[in-house]
Amino acid sequence: MTPRSPDLPFFVSAEDPPARQRILVEGLRLFTDKGICETTVRDIAEATGFTNPALYRHFESKDALATFLMERCYGRMVTDVQSALKDAPPGPESMRAFVSAVLRLYSESPPALLFLSDNVRRFWPQFPAKLRSFTLVSTARKIVAPRVRPGADDDVEAQVATIVGALQQIFRMLYLGLVAGPPERWVEPLTNTFAAFMPADSSQRARPL
C-alpha cells in the first residue's frame, strides 16, 4: 500500500523524495490548467524551482510524468468506485454510492479528476489490462441496465452518456467556480436526476399499453 500523508494529495507517496513530490503536484496542476501538449519541461521546472536535469532524474520525459499521473489517478478512482459499490444494494443506492465515490475523490484533488476527464482517452491504449477492465461508462451501464426494459439498448446507452457526461461537466463547473461547492452537495441532485432513469421494476415498463 502506498504511504499516505494528510498533507499530500492521493497521487503522491510520502516515500517520494521532496523534489519528486513537488514535480508530481506542479506537473498535474500545469497539465490540468494548460494542457499536456502546451506544458513544457521548462514550465514544470519554473513551477517547482528545480532545473531541467533535476526533473529528468525522476521522470525521463514530460510524457512519462503525465503517464505516471494518469495511471496513479485512474487506479485510485477504480479502487474507490469498486469499494463504494461492493456492498451497495442495486438501484438508486448503487447510483448514490457511485456518484458519492467520484465526487469524494474530486473533493480530495480537483485537478486530478479534471485531468482524468480531459485526457484518459489519450492514455487508454497504454493502460495495464487491469485498469482497462474498468470505466465510468461500464459502471454506469451495470447500474442502469437492469432497471431498463429488455431490448431497450439505445435507452441504456443514452442514459449512460447522460450520467457520465454530467459528472464530467460538474467537475469542470466546480473547478471553474461556475457552480457552488463543496462537491458533496451535488450527490443528491445528481443521484435524483440519474435515478429517474431507473424505475423500481423494469417489468412495469415492459408491459404493453
Side-chain angles (χ1 to χ4, degrees), residues 175-205:
Y175 195 75
L176 296 173
L178 299 178
V179 295
E184 291 79 5
R185 78 186 291 263
W186 292 95
V187 171
E188 290 307 313
L190 288 171
T191 300
N192 292 338
T193 298
F194 301 156
F197 300 149
M198 305 163 63
D201 182 358
S202 64
S203 65
Q204 294 176 0
R205 296 184 59 185

Side-chain angles (χ1 to χ4, degrees), residues 111-122:
L113 267 290
L114 201 61
F115 175 69
L116 283 176
S117 177
D118 290 344
N119 297 286
V120 68
R121 65 185 178 277
R122 170 177 175 171

Side-chain angles (χ1 to χ4, degrees), residues 69-141:
L69 285 165
M70 177 60 65
E71 292 188 4
R72 176 65 61 85
C73 293
Y74 197 87
R76 172 63 187 278
M77 183 176 69
V78 170
T79 298
D80 283 10
V81 171
Q82 289 181 336
S83 177
L85 291 174
K86 182 178 179 182
D87 298 317
E93 287 307 312
S94 284
M95 183 62 72
R96 181 174 287 102
F98 173 53
V99 173
S100 296
V102 176
L103 286 174
R104 192 161 49 243
L105 190 56
Y106 175 91
S107 186
E108 282 195 46
S109 177
L113 267 290
L114 201 61
F115 175 69
L116 283 176
S117 177
D118 290 344
N119 297 286
V120 68
R121 65 185 178 277
R122 170 177 175 171
F123 293 91
W124 186 256
Q126 306 170 38
F127 275 7
K130 184 177 180 180
L131 287 185
R132 290 202 308 271
S133 66
F134 170 95
T135 66
L136 291 182
V137 169
S138 63
T139 302
R141 186 182 292 122

Side-chain angles (χ1 to χ4, degrees), residues 143-175:
I143 296 171
V144 170
R147 297 288 176 127
V148 177
R149 69 183 185 278
D153 295 339
D154 289 349
D155 289 352
V156 171
E157 298 311 316
Q159 292 165 14
V160 167
T162 299
I163 291 165
V164 175
L167 285 171
Q168 293 174 335
Q169 191 61 29
I170 282 289
F171 300 157
R172 296 185 183 95
M173 294 169 74
L174 285 165
Y175 195 75

Side-chain angles (χ1 to χ4, degrees), residues 11 23-45 47 55 59 61-70 73 111-112 114-116 118-119 122-123 175:
F11 52 87
I23 291 166
L24 288 168
V25 171
E26 292 301 325
L28 181 63
R29 180 184 65 80
L30 288 166
F31 291 153
T32 301
D33 290 346
K34 295 184 63 173
I36 295 173
C37 292
E38 293 76 12
T39 298
T40 66
V41 172
R42 183 182 295 274
D43 292 331
I44 299 171
L55 298 181
F59 296 96
S61 66
K62 178 187 72 172
D63 284 347
L65 171 60
T67 299
F68 177 88
L69 285 165
M70 177 60 65
C73 293
L114 201 61
F115 175 69
L116 283 176
D118 290 344
N119 297 286
R122 170 177 175 171
F123 293 91
Y175 195 75

